[in-house]
Amino acid sequence: MELSIPELRERIKHVAEKTFDEVKSLPLEEVIGEIIDIQLDENAISIFEVKQEHVFKRNGIARGHHLFAQANSLAVAVINDELALTAKSTIRFTRPVRLGERVIAKAKVINSQEVKERDRSFVEVKSYVGQEIVFIGEFEMYRSNSEVKGVKHENSY
């Protein structure tokens, strides 16, 4: 997949579609980037190819809202709920991403005991180009009336 071999990417995508959890919080076509692995309420990975339409014309650097959109939509997708909304986020761009680079975002759900008793989940997303971190985001996600590890939540936003 890292080598961009189309046939291999299609086979991996086909296998991944059959093996990972079904996203509940939004349609897959609304996710920015391509989800290649997901375990709801645990972790997820997506890939985003930076193309001409994603960069500033004068310098070829990716516009930040595309990197944020990849991370935010992955944070929403990993939540095991019909309704998941971003309540708050803290983000940091650590280096510019350029035209032609492949961004791999990795999301991890982090819930402490006190969070399990509320209608929120926390998701940490780190985005990489190769082995280098280019984006870090911490997302506080609102969950609708559903369960996190067996604890029922009431609607409140």
Side-chain angles (χ1 to χ4, degrees):
M1 188 168 243
E2 195 67 29
L3 298 174
S4 295
I5 301 169
E7 303 83 28
L8 182 58
R9 289 189 67 176
E10 283 304 312
R11 283 192 304 240
I12 290 171
K13 182 178 176 184
H14 180 70
V15 170
E17 286 173 351
K18 292 184 177 195
T19 59
F20 63 67
D21 293 345
E22 187 174 330
V23 174
K24 294 180 181 179
S25 55
L26 77 166
L28 280 179
E29 61 270 7
E30 291 183 14
V31 175
I32 306 302
E34 180 182 334
I35 294 180
I36 60 168
D37 186 30
I38 189 164
Q39 283 81 43
L40 295 177
D41 277 339
E42 292 181 25
N43 54 58
I45 300 172
S46 75
I47 296 176
F48 176 68
E49 303 277 347
V50 180
K51 299 179 180 168
Q52 191 67 46
E53 62 268 21
H54 305 126
V55 301
F56 292 107
K57 290 181 182 175
R58 62 185 166 94
N59 57 20
I61 293 174
R63 297 171 184 265
H65 65 272
H66 294 295
L67 299 177
F68 174 81
Q70 178 193 20
N72 187 66
S73 65
L74 191 60
V76 171
V78 76
I79 300 299
N80 187 15
D81 202 315
E82 294 293 325
L83 177 65
L85 302 170
T86 304
K88 184 168 73 170
S89 68
T90 303
I91 64 170
R92 188 170 74 227
F93 297 93
T94 59
R95 85 140 167 94
V97 175
R98 301 195 177 280
L99 176 65
E101 291 185 316
R102 176 180 290 124
V103 181
I104 298 176
K106 298 180 179 182
K108 181 178 179 184
V109 178
I110 302 167
N111 286 326
S112 65
Q113 189 59 37
E114 61 203 38
V115 171
K116 291 179 187 178
E117 297 170 5
R118 300 184 347 181
D119 58 353
R120 306 292 165 125
S121 287
F122 290 90
V123 180
E124 178 184 73
V125 179
K126 292 183 180 178
S127 299
Y128 300 82
V129 171
Q131 300 298 315
E132 188 175 6
I133 294 178
V134 296
F135 174 94
I136 300 169
E138 295 168 354
F139 297 86
E140 182 179 331
M141 306 302 296
Y142 165 79
R143 308 171 68 98
S144 66
N145 195 16
S146 68
E147 298 181 25
V148 179
K149 306 282 184 190
V151 177
K152 194 77 170 168
H153 298 290
E154 296 176 15
N155 281 329
S156 66
Y157 186 56

